């Protein structure tokens, strides 16, 4: 494993993840909030990975690396780059994926990734855009930075929790209110129409699938 530090933006919310909370992450996110609050099953997220992941893959906002650990890879030993603002997440996911060729980068999705330009066949932004400050048009700069790291014909994919333009249950609305008040989420203005608009501006081929209040997106880099 190689760790390469990169410039870091202030991004509220990432500080909550440490070795203790990461032990609970999979249960809370994939066992509780995703299926019960956001109404997206883990199986849908796994299929999203398996449809799009390449033998050289960049994962941004890595969490615990659960989906990378569980999904079927296109080759036996893929080259995986983990990119996150939190060193605890990077270390946790890298240990979990040690059977693969793993490199980690510490940095913010709001800044370009100059060392990674054009070097991957796929890149994922899974369950992380709703944690980035700003509305969809502002945080869509992450698509530009990510696309710069993917070869033409490669895939960008991921998921994000939305607050507008999708069905949000009363339970989900309550949870979103609490998470935004705590500044763990920044998605009170995040709208499905805005997501479509920002993807359409950047990619000639893309699709969005909605599960509950979660949008799964897939795009091909031109």
């Amino acid at each position: 494993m190689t760790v390469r530090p990169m410039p870091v933006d202030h991004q509220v919310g990432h500080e909550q993840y440490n070795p203790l909370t990461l032990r609970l992450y999979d249960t809370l996110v994939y066992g509780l909030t995703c299926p019960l609050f956001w109404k997206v099953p883990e199986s849908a997220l796994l299929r999203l990975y398996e449809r799009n992941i390449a033998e050289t893959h960049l994962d941004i906002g890595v969490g615990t690396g659960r989906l990378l650990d569980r999904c079927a890879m296109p080759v036996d030993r893929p080259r995986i780059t983990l990119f996150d603002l939190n060193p605890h997440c990077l270390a946790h996911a890298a240990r979990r994926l040690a059977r693969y060729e793993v490199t980690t980068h510490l940095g913010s999705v709001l800044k370009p990734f100059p060392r990674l330009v054009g070097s991957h066949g796929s890149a994922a932004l899974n369950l992380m855009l709703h944690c980035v400050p700003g509305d969809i048009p502002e945080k869509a700069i992450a698509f530009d930075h990510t696309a710069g790291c993917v070869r033409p014909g490669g895939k960008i994919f991921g998921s994000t929790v939305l607050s507008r333009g999708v069905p949000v249950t009363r339970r989900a609305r309550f949870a979103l209110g609490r998470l935004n008040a705590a500044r763990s989420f920044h998605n009170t203005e995040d709208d499905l129409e805005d997501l479509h608009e920002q993807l359409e501006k950047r990619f000639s081929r893309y699709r969005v699938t909605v599960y509950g209040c979660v949008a799964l997106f897939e795009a091909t880099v031109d």
Side-chain angles (χ1 to χ4, degrees):
M1 179 183 72
T2 304
V3 179
R4 300 172 182 172
M6 298 186 74
V8 177
D9 261 353
H10 176 65
Q11 196 173 99
V12 178
H14 75 94
E15 301 95 337
Q16 66 188 301
Y17 299 122
N18 57 57
L20 177 60
T21 57
L22 286 170
R23 294 178 188 174
L24 305 174
Y25 181 96
D26 289 351
T27 298
L28 292 175
V29 172
Y30 295 107
L32 179 64
T33 57
C34 278
L36 299 182
F37 288 80
W38 316 142
K39 300 299 183 181
V40 60
E42 182 181 5
S43 59
L45 298 172
L46 277 172
R47 290 194 299 270
L48 176 70
Y49 266 75
E50 291 174 347
R51 281 196 302 270
N52 294 286
I53 198 165
E55 69 278 0
T56 54
H57 174 73
L58 169 64
D59 216 69
I60 302 168
V62 300
T64 62
R66 178 182 174 94
L67 296 180
L68 286 170
D69 181 41
R70 300 189 65 172
C71 79
M73 291 291 179
V75 295
D76 290 338
R77 190 169 169 79
R79 289 194 291 116
I80 296 173
T81 302
L82 303 175
F83 187 99
D84 204 285
L85 194 58
N86 187 308
H88 299 302
C89 292
L90 289 174
H92 185 105
R95 285 194 300 270
R96 190 170 194 169
L97 301 167
R99 64 190 182 276
Y100 301 137
E101 185 178 338
V102 176
T103 301
T104 65
H105 288 259
L106 185 69
S108 168
V109 73
L110 299 179
K111 290 188 175 182
F113 320 147
R115 295 176 181 169
L116 305 179
V117 171
S119 56
H120 297 81
S122 63
L125 298 151
N126 185 58
L127 294 176
M128 59 84 58
L129 287 176
H130 52 255
C131 299
V132 177
D135 57 19
I136 290 288
E138 292 174 302
K139 64 183 71 178
I141 190 70
F143 294 140
D144 298 318
H145 297 159
T146 304
C149 300
V150 177
R151 297 186 294 271
K155 299 296 183 66
I156 290 176
F157 63 97
S159 62
T160 189
V161 182
L162 301 174
S163 292
R164 298 182 176 183
V166 292
V168 183
T169 65
R170 184 176 300 177
R171 178 186 294 168
R173 186 68 66 191
F174 174 79
L176 287 172
R178 296 293 295 269
L179 289 164
N180 277 278
R183 298 180 65 78
S184 297
F185 277 24
H186 298 268
N187 73 338
T188 57
E189 304 298 320
D190 287 7
D191 185 271
L192 179 62
E193 184 176 346
D194 286 342
L195 179 62
H196 274 283
E197 181 179 329
Q198 295 304 315
L199 289 167
E200 188 174 16
K201 280 182 178 181
R202 292 165 169 84
F203 308 104
S204 59
R205 289 171 289 171
Y206 81 92
R207 72 172 178 175
V208 174
T209 308
V210 174
Y211 286 83
C213 57
V214 176
L216 280 58
F217 54 87
E218 305 164 72
T220 302
V221 176
D222 294 327

